[in-house]
Amino acid sequence: MSWLLDQPWSLWAIILPLAAALGAFLAPRQAPRIGMAAALAIFATVLGAILQVHGRGPQFHALGGWEAPLGIALRTDGLSLMLLAATALVGLVVSWYALGYFSGTVHGAEKREYFWPLWLFLWGACNALAVSGDLFNLYVTLELVTLASVALTALGGGAAALSAAMRYLLSGLVGSLCYLLGVALIYGAHGTVDLALLAQLVSDDGLSRAALALMVTGLLLKTALFPLHFWLPPAHSMAPAPVSALLSALVVKTSYLILLRLWFEVFPTVVTPGMGQLLGILGAGAILWGSFMALRQERLKLLVAYSTVAQLGYLFLVFPLAQGEALTGAWTGVVFFVLAHACGKAAMFLVAGTIYHTAGHDRIAYLAGAGGPLGVQVVVFALAAVTIIGLPPSGGFMAKWLLLNAAIAGGQWWYLVVMALGSLLAGAYVLRVLSWAFLDVRRTFYPTLPWTLRWPPLALSLVALLLGLLAFVPVHLVLTDAPVSAAVRLEVRP
Amino acid sequence: MSVPLLYAAGGVVLFCLGLYAIFLRVHLLRKILAANVMGSGVFMVFIALAARVPGADADPVPHAMVLTGIVVAVCFTALAVALAVRIEELSGHSRLPRKGEEGA
């Protein structure tokens, strides 16, 4: 067993997808097989990394033997594991779904040839970002993630998809350049970009504040926090279904992970409660505005995309809530939210894709009386939506419960109201889809779905639904080497 | 004002000019160029900060970072130009659709 714990699993989690991406690019006909084999292997690798951190504690690698101030340090801690695990879980299921989605004549062989290398490249970049331990490496991996995501968004091919990709690319570029300027200021002041070293060096001065402001603004744009979310709904709804699922479930979380690291690890001495409240208010705005817009959409994929805008708002409640004794609770809640939302949202997008694939459109009003195989898919949609609404026993419920506790413990009751309203609105837009689908009108005939389109969304919905029951293990693991570990006390208050 | 600080300020000015143009210019090529101007501004800040200690040798690490940054910028520009060319082929004009123009 001990050799198992000695392997550099997090390195393999970067090298495997990149090598597979190269293979899929060079042998396009074999791409689905290479992709699926790689997906299984990466999943096993991430399991190895989880066992390793569980058994041995956080892992550190100095690439090429160069130590921190100069070299690139890789670090696997609880937060990295959460992103690695979410990516592996969602990635495996989405790869499985993509086998079916890109096999038909509707989505030509050409798209399949491009999908696999780009997706594996994106996977490698996400994994590299999760374990990066310095600001500049985070910048480079974030750019790789954006580059692959933009190319995947453009996979749809129409003028609308390309415009969405272009808008995504330009806003991503502005975001990352703001971030990079912040990195330049930090390097100029302290002569290092290593997160752990910076945590000791950064003090509350004008330069640190300017750098923090630039980096946070850039990352907010990349994470699509309201009102900087304008690029997200077109990009996520124009892409093919497996791509939409990956973008909404994983890609927006990568920049959020950097934001968490900056806020709680590098700049805890610089941030003030006022700044936290500002992000919290924007997050509350995102919850309400995103849910409201989701309620108004005519197309299913746009509805799911606006739901992402709303759900991202919850992630930003951590900044005002994580104070004092509520620190650990809010932080854990929001990190668990990342995992729960990734599973639920990916499942919703996969179902929307299946419906689009079968019915040839995704206009909600025309789904009236869908019945038959589509009716089953709508039930799967509802199962996935349980975690988005936040009903027990889903992962989303658990995460919201932790956030609610933090809001009560901190005496910030207005966030309770926002979260309750957000859940109500989420329930409303999900019910709107259900009510159309189960209207008793003349049923249209739809062909039977291939099994690769039927089972993956169900598998992910079930994971999202039952995640709340297993919450203790991931929550405990996430606290490994966490920036809030000073008081590891998970107290559920009535 | 020392010379490195002057260069750094110049970099920030370039950054702001690029930021202004990327939002307000309509033509896609202008937007792409604006992004490159922004990037150059950031790189200038990096290089200026490498020479921040007077008399000492310049710090080589920011130079390496700028090289990496240039590689990233080249990739992005290539992708953006490819997208812009394709958008013009498909829609006949080199700009992003305005609000309400986006079809399904």
Side-chain angles (χ1 to χ4, degrees):
Chain A
M1 271 307 272
S2 86
W3 70 268
L4 207 67
L5 294 182
D6 289 334
Q7 301 300 314
W9 290 115
S10 43
L11 278 185
W12 287 115
I14 303 171
I15 295 168
L16 263 176
L18 292 182
L22 197 61
F25 179 72
L26 293 175
R29 280 163 186 276
Q30 301 299 321
R33 252 163 275 173
I34 294 174
M36 204 56 211
L40 287 168
I42 301 164
F43 189 77
T45 313
V46 171
L47 279 184
I50 291 174
L51 282 179
Q52 191 176 36
V53 172
H54 182 66
R56 297 261 167 98
Q59 299 291 311
F60 299 90
H61 293 285
L63 283 189
W66 292 90
E67 292 297 335
L70 190 61
I72 295 169
L74 295 187
R75 180 179 66 165
T76 319
D77 59 4
L79 199 53
S80 321
L81 279 187
M82 184 55 95
L83 189 64
L84 283 177
T87 315
L89 190 65
V90 173
L92 181 64
V93 179
V94 171
S95 302
W96 178 18
Y97 182 87
L99 282 183
Y101 190 84
F102 290 111
S103 68
T105 45
V106 188
H107 309 282
E110 174 183 72
K111 282 185 194 167
R112 177 170 66 231
E113 283 174 21
Y114 293 128
F115 172 78
W116 285 102
L118 286 171
W119 154 226
L120 290 165
F121 183 67
L122 174 65
W123 199 339
C126 280
N127 284 354
L129 186 138
V131 299
S132 287
D134 73 68
L135 291 178
F136 192 74
N137 208 32
L138 284 171
Y139 161 75
V140 174
T141 47
L142 189 64
E143 290 294 64
L144 295 182
V145 167
T146 311
L147 209 52
S149 312
V150 169
L152 281 170
T153 309
L155 208 58
L162 291 178
S163 304
M166 192 73 193
R167 187 163 287 160
Y168 182 16
L169 184 142
L170 289 172
S171 37
L173 210 49
V174 171
S176 52
L177 286 172
C178 285
Y179 174 82
L180 189 62
L181 189 58
V183 176
L185 294 183
I186 284 289
Y187 187 86
H190 301 294
T192 180
V193 285
D194 186 71
L195 293 180
L197 291 177
L198 280 176
Q200 300 158 9
L201 294 170
V202 169
S203 57
D204 188 7
D205 51 25
L207 197 66
S208 301
R209 286 191 182 181
L212 178 71
L214 277 167
M215 289 160 119
V216 168
T217 312
L219 292 171
L220 291 187
L221 188 56
K222 286 219 160 201
T223 320
L225 177 66
F226 170 85
L228 301 173
H229 66 281
F230 55 90
W231 57 267
L232 188 145
H236 286 197
S237 64
M238 286 302 166
V243 176
S244 306
L246 296 169
L247 294 181
S248 251
L250 305 172
V251 170
V252 281
K253 312 292 171 48
T254 54
S255 44
Y256 179 71
L257 178 111
I258 303 179
L259 204 51
L260 273 186
R261 284 214 189 281
L262 288 183
W263 197 274
F264 290 102
E265 288 178 27
V266 180
F267 293 101
T269 49
V270 184
V271 296
T272 59
M275 297 179 194
Q277 287 297 345
L278 179 66
L279 290 186
I281 290 167
L282 291 180
I287 295 172
L288 299 177
W289 177 250
S291 306
F292 176 68
M293 288 302 284
L295 201 53
R296 290 188 45 195
Q297 294 309 312
E298 305 267 300
R299 291 179 48 225
L300 189 57
K301 283 183 88 176
L302 263 176
L303 182 148
V304 186
Y306 272 105
S307 156
T308 299
V309 173
Q311 299 285 311
L312 288 172
Y314 288 99
L315 295 179
F316 287 89
L317 297 187
V318 71
F319 301 111
L321 292 182
Q323 279 164 22
E325 58 176 320
L327 181 67
T328 312
W331 194 84
T332 336
V334 86
V335 177
F336 193 60
F337 197 97
V338 169
L339 182 63
H341 176 256
C343 297
K345 187 48 58 73
M348 282 169 90
F349 261 122
L350 294 186
V351 172
T354 306
I355 290 175
Y356 191 90
H357 194 86
T358 323
H361 68 84
D362 66 343
R363 300 213 169 261
I364 297 167
Y366 297 151
L367 289 176
L374 282 195
V376 178
Q377 287 301 309
V378 176
V379 172
V380 176
F381 183 84
L383 278 183
V386 167
T387 196
I388 301 295
I389 303 171
L391 300 175
S394 65
F397 166 75
M398 189 66 202
K400 278 188 192 169
W401 181 247
L402 287 164
L403 283 175
L404 285 175
N405 272 317
I408 296 171
Q412 308 193 52
W413 55 267
W414 51 94
Y415 289 116
L416 289 178
V417 179
V418 170
M419 279 190 260
L421 275 176
S423 296
L424 274 178
L425 283 167
Y429 60 69
V430 170
L431 278 179
R432 191 169 150 244
V433 178
L434 288 185
S435 62
W436 276 110
F438 291 111
L439 268 184
D440 193 17
V441 295
R442 186 176 53 85
R443 292 182 177 229
T444 323
F445 172 77
Y446 291 120
T448 325
L449 296 165
W451 65 279
T452 36
L453 292 189
R454 260 184 293 157
W455 292 105
L458 181 66
L460 262 186
S461 316
L462 288 180
V463 170
L465 185 65
L466 300 177
L467 207 57
L469 298 178
L470 311 165
F472 181 76
V473 185
V475 161
H476 193 70
L477 207 58
V478 158
L479 286 170
T480 309
D481 204 25
V484 295
S485 59
V488 182
R489 197 156 51 91
L490 259 184
E491 195 175 333
V492 178
R493 284 153 178 272
Chain B
M1 193 183 244
S2 67
V3 176
L5 214 57
L6 193 67
Y7 276 88
V12 172
V13 169
L14 275 183
F15 181 86
C16 295
L17 282 175
L19 193 63
Y20 169 83
I22 205 169
F23 281 113
L24 292 182
R25 297 291 163 208
V26 177
H27 198 283
L28 282 178
L29 201 57
R30 283 178 187 267
K31 279 184 189 284
I32 296 168
L33 286 174
N36 275 289
V37 170
M38 264 180 94
S40 306
V42 177
F43 299 152
M44 256 179 73
V45 173
F46 259 112
I47 290 176
L49 289 175
R52 67 194 179 282
V53 186
D57 284 342
D59 185 354
V61 176
H63 295 176
M65 289 180 179
V66 168
L67 281 180
T68 314
I70 288 172
V71 173
V72 172
V74 168
C75 296
F76 264 92
T77 310
L79 181 60
V81 169
L83 278 176
V85 167
R86 195 82 186 110
I87 287 175
E88 185 169 11
E89 278 176 11
L90 286 174
S91 68
H93 33 69
S94 308
R95 58 174 174 79
L96 290 172
R98 293 195 189 89
K99 207 174 170 96
E101 274 184 2
E102 280 170 282

